[in-house]
Amino acid sequence: MITLLYDGSFDGLFTAIFEVFEYKYSDVEIVAQENFQQETLFAGTHEVITQQEKSERVLKKLEKNIGKSGINQLMKVFLSEDSEMEKLILSAVQQSVKHPEENILQNFADDDMMKIAKIGKSVSRERHRMTAFVRFEKLQDEIYFAKIDPDFNVLPLIRKHFKDRYADQKWMIYDLRRHYGLFYDLENCEFFYPDEKLDLNQYQQKFHDEEKKYQTLWQSYFTKTNIKERKNTKLHIQHVPKRYWKYLTEKW
């Protein structure tokens, strides 16, 4: 078996897939360099240099066969960070080339295609929950700040939602688990990658006075309306799972 090592990026993965076909590799696996563990001195490896041109050629071919919605599904698999992510996407591309006349992602009799569908649904649910449960806090510099810790890397999937919904204010969303974020400055909405983890205590100290008053008022309201005799924890958790309570002011 030959192992193709890539840089972990989306374009890097599709460059690697291009080279699977270019070099006619049959027994092959694709692994991100940061996840690679050399198991044997005799295992063959091939280092992939990310090339956007190669990546785009694969994606253009895919778009003809499975459409933009199909590529979106594969993007969700990539963002899922599933341990079989590279294997599943490679399988989809290979089958798409072999059967260009059909949308292979609809072939649920195939184990790989079924896994892709399930992962896509899970990522979509996480995206929806992030758009529903994210809470912004106003900082002293008039920027609204939100922290998230999603199961999947959905920040790229919620970018348009927040850009459209909060187009009239500056905001930042930071992924605590993956240590990168989005910043919108009223014109551009760009990803940012700090050299070091953000000091969240520093941000707590920068809360705007209005935000502090709002949090106190909201917490007081929640306490008074949370009548013990009417409490239905099971139903509450069903609609707002506990792992998302950290984003809700009333749960602090």
Side-chain angles (χ1 to χ4, degrees), residues 65-213:
N65 296 348
I66 62 176
K68 291 182 178 179
S69 62
I71 293 177
N72 183 263
Q73 274 188 271
L74 297 185
M75 170 67 84
K76 290 177 181 176
V77 175
F78 177 79
L79 295 174
S80 75
E81 302 170 331
D82 187 273
S83 60
E84 293 189 309
M85 175 265 292
E86 291 95 350
K87 170 184 173 294
L88 294 173
I89 295 176
L90 174 60
S91 175
V93 175
Q94 289 174 324
Q95 293 194 46
S96 174
V97 171
K98 189 179 296 185
H99 305 288
E101 70 285 351
E102 60 183 277
N103 187 341
I104 47 85
L105 294 179
Q106 302 299 320
N107 179 19
F108 301 130
D110 182 272
D111 289 342
D112 287 345
M113 301 309 109
M114 177 59 78
K115 288 179 182 177
I116 287 174
K118 288 181 177 179
I119 290 173
K121 288 181 180 179
S122 295
V123 173
S124 293
R125 282 196 296 268
E126 189 76 338
R127 175 200 174 277
H128 174 72
R129 286 168 175 164
M130 285 296 104
T131 59
F133 299 143
V134 166
R135 293 293 183 270
F136 287 96
E137 302 158 321
K138 191 175 183 180
L139 304 180
Q140 292 173 4
D141 56 6
E142 303 294 324
I143 294 175
Y144 289 84
F145 176 77
K147 52 187 180 292
I148 63 174
D149 185 18
D151 288 344
F152 309 116
N153 183 17
V154 295
L155 199 55
L157 300 179
I158 64 176
R159 175 182 181 181
K160 185 179 186 302
H161 169 85
F162 285 101
K163 183 177 183 295
D164 292 344
R165 186 169 181 178
Y166 301 105
D168 60 344
Q169 59 195 43
K170 296 180 181 180
W171 52 260
M172 292 172 59
I173 302 177
Y174 184 68
D175 188 325
L176 297 169
R177 188 176 306 190
R178 296 162 188 87
H179 312 301
Y180 82 110
L182 271 174
F183 176 62
Y184 175 67
D185 64 1
L186 300 180
E187 294 184 5
N188 302 305
C189 186
E190 303 292 345
F191 293 105
F192 65 91
Y193 305 86
D195 293 332
E196 299 179 357
K197 296 180 183 179
L198 289 188
D199 183 352
L200 296 181
N201 291 327
Q202 187 180 52
Y203 278 90
Q204 294 284 120
Q205 296 169 6
K206 291 184 178 180
F207 278 163
H208 195 283
D209 288 341
E210 291 180 9
E211 177 64 26
K212 293 177 183 178
K213 292 177 182 178

